[in-house]
Amino acid sequence: MMKGYLLILLASLMTLVVANEKYTRKYDDVDVDKILQNNRVLTNYIRCLMDEGPCTADGRELRKTLPDALSSGCSKCNDKQKAMAEKVINHLKTKRTRDWDRLMTKYDPNGEYKRRYEKS
C-alpha cells in the first residue's frame, strides 16, 4: 500500500528533473526530516504543487516531474528517492491528512495510481 503513495511523496518534497533513464540525484541529500518539521516550508511546497502559490525553481521541477513519476510507477527513482518518498507520504497521511487528500484529488483524481500500487 505504501508503494502506491511513494509517488505523491516525490511530488510533495522531492524536486526531481526528468532524465532519459533516471531522475537526477541532485536532491538525494535533502534533509527531508527538516522539511517535514518546518510547516512553513512544507506548506509552500504543497501550495506550489496545488497551483495555489509561487514556486521555487525546485518546486517547479517537482511539479513538472510528478505526472511522469506517477505514470511510470516511479521507475526512474533510485532507492534513496523511494525511501524519502515513503517518509513524506507517511508524514502527510498521518499529520497533514487534509493536504494529503487534496494532493490525491489533484494528482490521482480517479484513484488509478493508488489502485495500481495497492496491488503490488
Side-chain angles (χ1 to χ4, degrees), residues 8-24:
I8 298 299
L9 166 63
L10 293 174
S12 300
L13 296 181
M14 297 293 300
T15 54
L16 303 173
V17 178
V18 176
N20 288 336
E21 294 183 17
K22 294 287 183 185
Y23 296 120
T24 183

Side-chain angles (χ1 to χ4, degrees), residues 91-109:
H91 180 86
L92 292 174
K93 287 177 62 179
T94 60
K95 304 222 187 293
R96 307 259 320 231
T97 55
R98 181 176 167 269
D99 290 323
W100 170 253
D101 291 342
R102 290 177 350 108
L103 288 164
M104 291 297 291
T105 298
K106 178 173 177 136
Y107 288 97
D108 192 15

Side-chain angles (χ1 to χ4, degrees), residues 1-5 73 113-120:
M1 183 172 177
M2 291 314 302
K3 287 181 184 178
Y5 299 120
Y113 305 121
K114 181 179 178 181
R115 281 191 301 276
R116 180 189 310 165
Y117 299 113
E118 286 178 344
K119 291 178 184 176
S120 305

